[in-house]
Amino acid sequence: MNATARIPVTNLQHHVFYVSDLERSKTFYVRLLDLQFSALNHPDSSAAMRLSQQEMHFFSFGFHHHDLCMVKHHKLKMDNNSMLHFALAVHDPAAFDDVRRRAGEMGLPIREGRMLASARPVTRAFCVRDPDNHWIEIIEEPSR
């Protein structure tokens, strides 16, 4: 394989992460991001989930079956440092304002700017934490 070859990925299709309380996280993400609940466990993985004592909840922004998947492992103690953060790009300024308004209404402390000062500049950005202390970075990135 050529060392300079690039895989032409256009976006990250979904993100899976552990949470300590599925209902609490479900309420948080639906309220903040207006996600749609799309499935409890997945038919392809239900037996494996039962054997591994895990439960999955799938959520969609409306583009894919799931964009976020939250997993509760019923015997694993949550390590809140296992996921540092994820970023969501919002192309519409009004949608960015709406998410920021929702975060304020939820009483979430808002950290202004990008997670990393060295990150590529964007129009606007802010960060909040979910109930498990995972950072969520929301950036306004107008369509090109």
Side-chain angles (χ1 to χ4, degrees), residues 31 100-108:
R31 187 171 172 200
R100 187 175 174 89
R101 177 189 53 76
R102 289 170 189 239
E105 289 173 353
M106 293 169 70
L108 301 176

Side-chain angles (χ1 to χ4, degrees), residues 43-111:
D44 296 342
S45 63
S46 291
M49 291 294 101
R50 282 192 300 277
L51 288 172
S52 63
Q53 297 186 7
Q54 297 185 74
E55 187 176 347
M56 303 171 91
H57 286 198
F58 295 87
F59 300 86
S60 174
F61 288 107
F63 301 107
H64 304 286
H65 169 268
H66 66 279
D67 297 296
L68 291 180
C69 175
M70 297 167 210
V71 179
K72 166 66 178 166
H73 191 296
H74 294 282
K75 287 200 169 187
L76 181 70
K77 181 166 172 31
M78 259 302 288
D79 174 2
N80 291 342
N81 295 317
S82 64
M83 181 185 80
L84 299 178
H85 84 279
F86 65 94
L88 299 172
V90 178
H91 298 298
D92 178 24
F96 179 91
D97 292 338
D98 187 43
V99 174
R100 187 175 174 89
R101 177 189 53 76
R102 289 170 189 239
E105 289 173 353
M106 293 169 70
L108 301 176
I110 295 174
R111 178 179 159 193

Side-chain angles (χ1 to χ4, degrees), residues 83-86 111 115 127-129 133-137:
M83 181 185 80
L84 299 178
H85 84 279
F86 65 94
R111 178 179 159 193
M115 280 297 299
C127 303
V128 295
R129 284 190 171 182
N133 291 320
H134 299 132
W135 281 103
I136 306 163
E137 180 179 15

